Amino acid sequence: MVKAFKLGDDISTDSIIPGRFFHLRSNLDELAKHLCEYVYPNLYSKINEGDIIVAGNNFGLGSSREHAAQIIKLVGISCVLAKSFSRIFYRNAINVGLLAIECNTDNIDDGDNIVLDLEQGIVFNLTKNISINIVPISPIMKKLVKDNGLINHIKKYGDLKID
């Protein structure tokens, strides 16, 4: 069981990591302190390992900054649930080992307690006692996340082996 932190629609990479702090990109721990600070003040200080971010449509739009996905993972977020993702953010998330899952997030509110069951393809909202189906994730995407990202996967197998 993890806690949900609810954001809205059209959360850009600049909203995730404000561009004015991009000079900190060589110090990811310091950069992480600014996670979503304009859309969810003090989010960084509220996160416990394994918690999730929940958003609406088009999460991660904007620039191709992979730091946005990296920082979300670095602070301990285990996955992002959203109605939809920008294509580049989605790939960056998987490539750094951050689980990005599409589902209807209307019935998940800030602070709800969530359990994700990838095998069944369901998100359980324990606070509201409901289950939500997720869009299935391809085997290679699951494997990349399990291996902690594309680089680690290639180091381990030498290619994109999924068996």
Side-chain angles (χ1 to χ4, degrees), residues 144-162:
L144 291 175
V145 170
K146 181 180 177 206
D147 290 339
N148 202 26
L150 179 62
I151 291 172
N152 290 326
H153 179 85
I154 290 173
K155 284 179 182 177
K156 185 174 181 180
Y157 297 105
D159 64 12
L160 287 177
K161 180 181 176 96
I162 61 170

Side-chain angles (χ1 to χ4, degrees), residues 69-87:
Q70 259 181 320
I71 293 301
I72 291 171
K73 185 173 181 201
L74 178 72
V75 300
I77 294 293
S78 62
C79 110
V80 178
L81 300 176
K83 289 181 181 180
S84 65
F85 292 91
S86 89
R87 182 184 59 81

Side-chain angles (χ1 to χ4, degrees), residues 70-139:
Q70 259 181 320
I71 293 301
I72 291 171
K73 185 173 181 201
L74 178 72
V75 300
I77 294 293
S78 62
C79 110
V80 178
L81 300 176
K83 289 181 181 180
S84 65
F85 292 91
S86 89
R87 182 184 59 81
I88 293 172
F89 179 87
Y90 183 82
R91 281 307 313 198
N92 283 339
I94 299 301
N95 287 345
V96 300
L98 174 65
L99 196 53
I101 297 174
E102 291 184 346
C103 67
N104 184 341
T105 57
D106 288 342
N107 290 318
I108 303 173
D109 291 316
D110 195 56
D112 284 355
N113 293 310
I114 304 296
V115 173
L116 172 63
D117 187 330
L118 276 181
E119 296 309 311
Q120 289 187 36
I122 296 175
V123 173
F124 295 100
N125 183 332
L126 301 178
T127 304
K128 295 186 171 106
N129 196 29
I130 58 172
S131 61
I132 303 162
N133 293 324
I134 66 172
V135 173
I137 302 164
S138 74

